[in-house]
């Protein structure tokens, strides 16, 4: 391959898809590639910070339900997206197209397959999402965040590579910090994904008030809360006499995770990848209504490694959470052992592994 190859990265909808795509873009640029981002309108706000030469808006829609009119409308939008991406590739001629799951990936990747452009999809979760399941048989190669995601199908397994989930450079840097020592404060970091989760604001403050004094006296809390919940959460901690920093968003979350004795969070793919890479124990409460139950699978991967306690949302009560925190905090050596378990499945160089796979696939392109 001569000159600087152009790689189109297709991602959109949520930070869970865009963050690993951004990490890959950084790794590809370090290897002399030009990177363009293909996304939909919902993720356009990320385009200004995404390290891409250009951001291309490609129409997309999510398949929901079985209503014929809604299905026809969705398929029409997806068709428009495929046509627009097909035209785009005729102009910019990418060496490869990489999709990160979700329906915004469908039109850019399908258009690439129609043009004969090498394609790669990356599945971040412990179970494949619907969009990636639709694309898996059509693409050139598959990368996965966890091992054996497509192990049930020999054809898909043959073209799958476990690269791990690309993580932000800040998370790689945070991974160098050792687990906090026993003489340090008991730092609890609480968050619910890029949009926050109200249940964390409803359950965690009253749970911490129920903790034994021996645990509560060492406690320091960092908690993400939605704007509308900030006052209630802050007042709850003031009433309980627990030092707490509460914000709607923490730009330095990897550093906060590295400081944590314990993390309470949802189980999105990026969250689980950073917990594993940094090596911090966690109580994970998977989003219960996801059709693919991807967060349940993600949390299960970390739990199996001994790095997390997986708690269904239906069981996530102040009393149950307080009992679990007290158990983890008072049993000698348990939290450091969990930290080591989490770290055992962390992949710090996932972005580099994926970048090398992308370049190898792109090298198959006909001149």
């Amino acid at each position: 391959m001569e000159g600087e190859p152009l790689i189109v990265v297709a991602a959109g909808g949520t930070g869970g898809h865009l963050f690993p795509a951004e990490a890959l873009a950084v790794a590809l640029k370090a290897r002399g590639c030009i990177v363009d981002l293909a996304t939909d309108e919902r993720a356009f706000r990320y385009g200004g910070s995404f390290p891409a030469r250009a951001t291309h808006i490609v129409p997309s829609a999510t398949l929901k339900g079985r209503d014929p009119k809604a299905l026809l409308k969705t398929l029409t939008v997806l068709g428009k997206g495929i046509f627009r991406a097909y035209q785009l590739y005729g102009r910019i001629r990418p060496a490869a197209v990489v999709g990160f799951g979700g329906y915004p990936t469908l039109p850019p990747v399908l258009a690439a397959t129609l043009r004969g452009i090498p394609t790669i999809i990356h599945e971040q979760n412990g179970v494949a999402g619907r969009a990636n399941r639709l694309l898996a048989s059509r693409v050139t190669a598959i990368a996965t965040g966890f091992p054996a995601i497509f192990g049930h199908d020999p054809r898909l397994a043959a073209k799958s590579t476990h690269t791990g989930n690309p993580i932000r450079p800040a998370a790689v840097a945070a991974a160098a910090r050792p687990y906090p020592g026993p003489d340090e404060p008991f730092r609890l970091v609480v968050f619910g994904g890029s949009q926050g989760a109200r249940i964390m604001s409803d359950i965690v403050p009253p749970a911490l008030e129920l903790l034994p004094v021996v645990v509560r006296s060492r406690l320091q809390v960092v908690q993400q809360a939605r704007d509308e919940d900030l006052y209630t959460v802050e007042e709850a901690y003031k009433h309980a006499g627990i030092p707490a920093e509460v914000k709607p968003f923490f730009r330095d979350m990897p550093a906060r995770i590295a400081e944590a004795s314990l993390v309470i969070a949802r189980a999105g793919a990026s969250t689980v990848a950073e917990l594993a890479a940094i090596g911090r124990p966690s109580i994970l409460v998977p989003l219960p209504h996801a059709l693919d139950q991807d967060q349940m699978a993600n949390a299960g991967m970390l739990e199996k490694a001994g790095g997390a306690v997986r708690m269904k949302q239906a069981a996530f009560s102040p009393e149950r959470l307080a009992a679990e925190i007290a158990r983890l905090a008072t049993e000698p050596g348990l939290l450091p052992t969990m930290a080591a378990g989490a770290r055992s499945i962390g992949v710090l160089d996932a972005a580099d592994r994926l970048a090398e796979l992308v370049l190898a696939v792109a090298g198959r392109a006909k001149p």
Side-chain angles (χ1 to χ4, degrees):
M1 216 164 24
E2 296 180 0
E4 296 180 330
L6 168 62
I7 309 297
V8 171
V9 175
T14 65
H17 295 307
L18 283 160
F19 290 155
E22 182 176 351
L24 172 64
V26 171
L28 287 171
K29 291 183 73 174
R31 288 162 171 77
C33 297
I34 300 168
V35 178
D36 279 10
L37 172 66
T39 187
D40 65 348
E41 292 84 353
R42 293 174 302 162
F44 184 64
R45 64 185 179 274
Y46 291 94
S49 61
F50 197 96
R53 178 193 67 172
T55 298
H56 308 284
I57 303 302
V58 177
S60 185
T62 301
L63 292 168
K64 293 181 179 179
R66 298 182 179 179
D67 178 67
K69 290 184 178 179
L71 183 60
L72 179 60
K73 183 179 179 181
T74 298
L75 292 175
T76 300
V77 174
L78 290 172
K80 288 180 179 178
I82 293 170
F83 180 69
R84 186 171 297 181
Y86 188 90
Q87 288 183 312
L88 170 68
Y89 297 154
R91 296 195 307 271
I92 66 174
R93 300 191 177 279
V97 175
V98 188
F100 277 85
Y103 281 95
T105 292
L106 280 178
V109 175
L110 286 174
T113 63
L114 292 173
R115 277 207 177 266
I117 298 168
T119 49
I120 305 96
I121 54 172
H122 184 278
E123 177 53 64
Q124 296 102 60
N125 293 296
V127 60
R130 287 166 291 169
N132 275 347
R133 291 201 301 269
L134 287 169
L135 293 169
S137 63
R138 297 172 171 85
V139 297
T140 312
I142 300 169
T144 64
F146 296 103
I149 301 304
F150 291 94
H152 61 282
D153 187 325
R155 295 172 302 165
L156 301 183
K159 60 179 177 179
S160 295
T161 301
H162 172 225
T163 60
N165 280 323
I167 58 175
R168 295 174 282 182
V172 176
R177 298 188 58 170
Y179 184 75
D183 297 330
E184 296 187 47
F186 189 85
R187 298 186 182 92
L188 188 67
V189 175
V190 185
F191 60 98
S194 58
Q195 301 300 315
R198 170 157 288 168
I199 194 167
M200 298 296 178
S201 297
D202 292 340
I203 300 298
V204 177
L208 301 189
E209 196 167 3
L210 296 174
L211 287 173
V213 174
V214 67
V215 178
R216 200 170 64 200
S217 62
R218 298 177 51 220
L219 200 58
Q220 292 182 3
V221 177
V222 169
Q223 180 160 346
Q224 177 199 26
R226 295 179 178 182
D227 286 320
E228 60 267 30
D229 298 329
L230 282 176
Y231 178 78
T232 301
V233 175
E234 287 174 339
E235 288 300 305
Y237 285 132
K238 285 180 184 178
H239 179 266
I242 297 172
E245 185 179 359
V246 185
K247 292 182 179 181
F249 185 74
F250 290 90
R251 295 190 179 278
D252 59 344
M253 185 57 81
R256 302 294 184 135
I257 291 173
E259 293 175 347
S261 306
L262 178 66
V263 174
I264 302 174
R266 288 294 196 195
S270 291
T271 295
V272 169
E274 292 190 355
L275 286 170
I278 298 170
R280 293 298 177 267
S282 58
I283 296 173
L284 298 177
V285 187
L287 187 69
H289 307 303
L291 290 177
D292 298 318
Q293 288 296 297
D294 50 346
Q295 291 201 9
M296 186 65 70
N298 298 343
M301 295 287 186
L302 208 50
E303 183 180 54
K304 185 178 179 181
V309 173
R310 180 172 56 172
M311 192 179 295
K312 291 184 177 180
Q313 184 164 305
F316 190 56
S317 66
E319 294 76 15
R320 170 74 191 281
L321 179 60
E324 198 62 51
I325 295 172
R327 180 183 73 86
L328 296 175
T330 55
E331 188 172 326
L334 180 55
L335 285 172
T337 299
M338 289 179 67
R343 191 183 291 273
S344 71
I345 63 168
V347 182
L348 291 174
D349 63 344
D352 292 319
R353 291 187 189 186
L354 182 55
E356 293 298 329
L357 176 63
V358 170
L359 291 178
V361 171
R364 301 173 193 169
K366 294 180 181 179

